[in-house]
Amino acid sequence: MILIGQYDSPFVRRVGIALTLYGRAFEHRPWSTFGEADRIRPYSPLTRVPVLVVDGVALTDSHLILAHLDDSAPAGASLMPADPAARLAARRLVGLATGLAETAVSLFYELKLHDSPSPLLIARRGGQVKAAAAVLEEAAQAATPCLCGEALSHADIAMAAAMRFVTEAHPGLVAVAGTPALARRCAVLEATAPFQAICQPFIPPA
């Protein structure tokens, strides 16, 4: 398998972490959607990452890629909870975390790539990020070791990947003091070997 994209993308990173936790061998091609678009386009016509090439087939969109990996995971080893209620909760949190990440990416582009950023859009995107982080903070206050129970799930991975991007791309937007449980959970995950292996400081587009 080949994973295309840089690990400063929260979406590429969540796929890379899942592959690592599943013990799946893969080749990483850290191509930039800005500087190396021509190399990505044959695999992803929209020039979006992540791309996971499996048996010559290029899969795009992190949700679909992880669904494929979950389908081929050994029994009892899936990163999506088996219990229906826990699985529903995990999907809710994955949606919030990835939505937060998508909004934070959009906010970065608005701020950095436009000559005249829209104040209305900046305020809206910033408010959306903060609102989603507040809900994740509530979830992070659970007494369980992980967000949705005893075992690590895609919800935990998506949460940590999204919050790292927000912290690096928008310093101070989400105050650590206002999200202490969320910050603690992210710090614990970031200290583990898979999260340290699949990591890259945020590199703004040139």
Side-chain angles (χ1 to χ4, degrees):
M1 287 189 290
I2 302 169
L3 176 60
I4 298 172
Q6 297 188 336
Y7 288 151
D8 62 350
S9 160
F11 311 104
V12 177
R13 192 177 184 220
R14 67 188 292 248
V15 172
I17 291 170
L19 282 165
T20 301
L21 291 170
Y22 277 140
R24 304 292 298 272
F26 65 96
E27 174 190 343
H28 181 215
R29 296 183 183 176
W31 296 341
S32 165
T33 55
F34 283 84
E36 296 166 294
D38 289 344
R39 303 177 79 175
I40 295 173
R41 196 169 293 113
Y43 300 93
S44 173
L46 294 172
T47 323
R48 295 178 61 184
V49 293
V51 179
L52 186 68
V53 183
V54 182
D55 297 330
V57 177
L59 301 177
T60 58
D61 185 278
S62 61
H63 296 296
L64 299 180
I65 291 170
L66 292 173
H68 171 76
L69 295 177
D70 293 342
D71 287 344
S72 57
S78 176
L79 289 167
M80 189 58 74
D83 175 75
R87 186 165 61 249
L88 183 62
R91 285 174 173 159
R92 170 180 175 263
L93 295 176
V94 167
L96 281 169
T98 55
L100 184 158
E102 289 167 356
T103 304
V105 171
S106 175
L107 175 59
F108 178 83
Y109 288 159
E110 181 65 24
L111 287 167
K112 302 300 182 182
L113 300 185
H114 292 171
D115 292 333
S116 300
S118 164
L120 178 62
L121 188 57
I122 291 169
R124 178 176 174 81
R125 293 288 183 260
Q128 288 172 309
V129 168
K130 292 177 182 178
V135 177
L136 290 176
E137 168 65 15
E138 292 179 6
Q141 294 170 13
T144 51
C146 298
L147 286 179
C148 299
E150 299 295 317
L152 189 73
S153 75
H154 287 305
D156 302 277
I157 299 169
M159 169 196 69
M163 293 311 299
R164 185 183 183 97
F165 178 82
V166 170
T167 300
E168 295 190 349
H170 305 288
L173 179 59
V174 176
V176 173
T179 55
L182 184 56
R184 282 195 299 271
R185 285 190 182 271
C186 288
V188 169
L189 289 171
E190 293 290 359
T192 64
F195 281 75
Q196 290 189 352
I198 309 298
C199 183
Q200 173 188 318
F202 177 61
I203 303 174

